[in-house]
Amino acid sequence: MRAVVLEKFGGLDSLVYKEIPDPEPKAGHVVIEIKAFGINHAEMHMRRGEWAEAAKVIGIECVGLVKSCPGGEFPIGAKVAALMGGLGRTINGSYAEYTRAPVSNVALIESDLPWAELAVIPETRATAWTCLFRNLEITKSQTLVIRGATSSFGQAALNMAANSGARVIATTRSQQRFAMLQELGAERVELEGPDLSKRIAKAKQLDAVLDLVGNSTILDSIAMLRRGGCACLAGWLGGLAPIKDFNPLLQMSSGVYLTFIGSFVFGTPGFPTLRRATAGNRARSGGPQAQGKAGSRISLRGDPRSASRHGGQ
């Protein structure tokens, strides 16, 4: 099969077309004929050698058709989505004509969306749902700040949070993006910056922050929270540099919470995401469903605007 292979760490010239062997059927796995795949921020770091792991064929998600499934969990020819489970990290990923993913990280799809639009949904929306409704446990009428909201991840989270009844404050570095974020459901939009906690209304009264900018802003995000509020660190749009001299005793208020999500946990017993993480899409996408032990099922129809551009992860 043809694949885009990572020959060395570096720029785009590190990725080259090559013929490599097709993945063989394996118990507990699904071989997928790839129709389209999303391009994620994490893959840029893999290509540069900045990530802990990178396979020769990167790519952490895809959509396509089942070519083989020795365990019978999915029928041959079924339309499926796959994400994580080692794809692109410890096993060859989605930058190819075929891939082999663990059964736990594959879901059946019912959708009338074109392949190219469908491909940008799995990783973005699964991660956004998990951040909002498992880590942050957002509920109706709570006030949530989403930092980095114009990324695809941010747009998906904004869409889901607004549809759940949360009051969302979105951030962006460009005033030209304000209208787009308001259309997706933001009650208010703020210019992103490292001192946002000093400018934002209701500082120290906010219920939650979803921080996709990353280590450069997470302490500022924590400073916005009320007692009992929670900040979730889930993206590194601002770079991978660590938090310098992090000292919770001096830099966190008593009674606030900091949580983290790395999508590499998807498909593990604690994060059976494909059965549950898409359930929050109901208002915009037509109601994803989970059915039975033979395989997860997602039903996606309608407006995919909140996931139409990929690059937030």
Side-chain angles (χ1 to χ4, degrees), residues 40-79:
N40 292 267
H41 201 74
E43 291 152 13
M44 176 187 71
H45 295 299
M46 292 178 189
R47 171 173 53 79
R48 292 174 175 174
E50 299 168 342
W51 219 246
E53 300 166 317
K56 282 296 184 182
V57 179
I58 58 176
I60 62 177
E61 66 175 328
C62 67
V63 291
L65 302 174
V66 173
K67 182 184 179 185
S68 72
C69 184
E73 294 90 348
F74 298 93
I76 304 302
K79 182 182 288 189

Side-chain angles (χ1 to χ4, degrees), residues 5-311:
V5 175
L6 182 63
E7 279 203 321
K8 63 183 187 300
F9 294 131
L12 291 175
D13 60 345
S14 302
L15 299 172
V16 297
Y17 278 110
K18 281 192 172 181
E19 290 286 338
I20 64 172
D22 290 8
E24 296 291 333
K26 181 180 178 182
H29 292 70
V30 184
V31 176
I32 300 169
E33 178 188 351
I34 297 170
K35 296 297 186 180
F37 58 86
I39 297 175
N40 292 267
H41 201 74
E43 291 152 13
M44 176 187 71
H45 295 299
M46 292 178 189
R47 171 173 53 79
R48 292 174 175 174
E50 299 168 342
W51 219 246
E53 300 166 317
K56 282 296 184 182
V57 179
I58 58 176
I60 62 177
E61 66 175 328
C62 67
V63 291
L65 302 174
V66 173
K67 182 184 179 185
S68 72
C69 184
E73 294 90 348
F74 298 93
I76 304 302
K79 182 182 288 189
V80 294
L83 73 152
M84 304 310 293
L87 287 178
R89 297 173 187 252
T90 58
I91 58 177
N92 282 342
S94 59
Y95 287 19
E97 291 182 289
Y98 297 93
T99 193
R100 186 178 64 201
V103 166
S104 59
N105 293 74
V106 179
L108 288 170
I109 298 173
E110 295 177 358
S111 176
D112 54 6
L113 294 176
W115 287 114
E117 292 183 7
L118 193 60
V120 302
I121 293 175
E123 168 73 8
T124 297
R125 296 190 78 88
T127 309
W129 191 95
T130 304
C131 289
L132 292 172
F133 303 113
R134 296 194 68 179
N135 283 37
L136 292 172
E137 298 182 338
I138 286 293
T139 59
K140 186 177 180 179
S141 300
Q142 285 192 322
T143 301
L144 163 73
V145 178
I146 300 178
R147 305 188 74 160
T150 51
S151 65
S152 63
F153 185 174
Q155 290 180 54
L158 168 55
N159 187 226
M160 290 182 185
N163 284 339
S164 76
R167 305 177 66 181
V168 183
I169 302 169
T171 79
T172 175
R173 293 178 298 175
S174 171
Q175 288 185 331
Q176 295 178 343
R177 300 293 186 91
F178 278 31
M180 181 266 286
L181 293 174
Q182 289 168 336
E183 183 183 356
L184 285 173
E187 187 173 292
R188 195 167 80 247
V189 183
E190 298 279 353
L191 278 174
E192 179 57 62
D195 61 345
L196 183 61
S197 66
K198 297 180 175 63
R199 298 185 280 108
I200 196 167
K202 297 186 177 180
K204 300 290 187 182
Q205 301 176 49
L206 298 170
D207 298 298
V209 181
L210 176 56
D211 194 326
L212 309 182
V213 179
N215 291 344
S216 60
T217 57
I218 189 60
L219 295 180
D220 188 64
S221 294
I222 293 170
M224 303 178 191
L225 297 169
R226 62 166 174 83
R227 179 181 177 182
C230 184
C232 181
L233 178 60
W236 285 266
L237 296 173
L240 294 175
I243 303 170
K244 186 177 181 180
D245 300 325
F246 180 39
N247 186 338
L249 178 65
L250 300 177
Q251 295 171 302
M252 290 182 67
S253 299
S254 295
V256 301
Y257 298 89
L258 171 62
T259 184
F260 160 77
I261 180 67
S263 60
F264 45 78
V265 300
F266 290 165
T268 64
F271 290 85
T273 312
L274 287 174
R275 288 205 178 103
R276 300 185 60 188
T278 52
N281 291 1
R282 192 174 305 278
R284 181 68 74 175
S285 65
Q289 307 160 28
Q291 294 186 358
K293 296 182 179 179
S296 302
R297 182 182 299 274
I298 304 173
S299 177
L300 293 165
R301 290 182 173 83
D303 185 351
R305 284 179 299 171
S306 63
S308 61
R309 300 176 182 85
H310 221 31

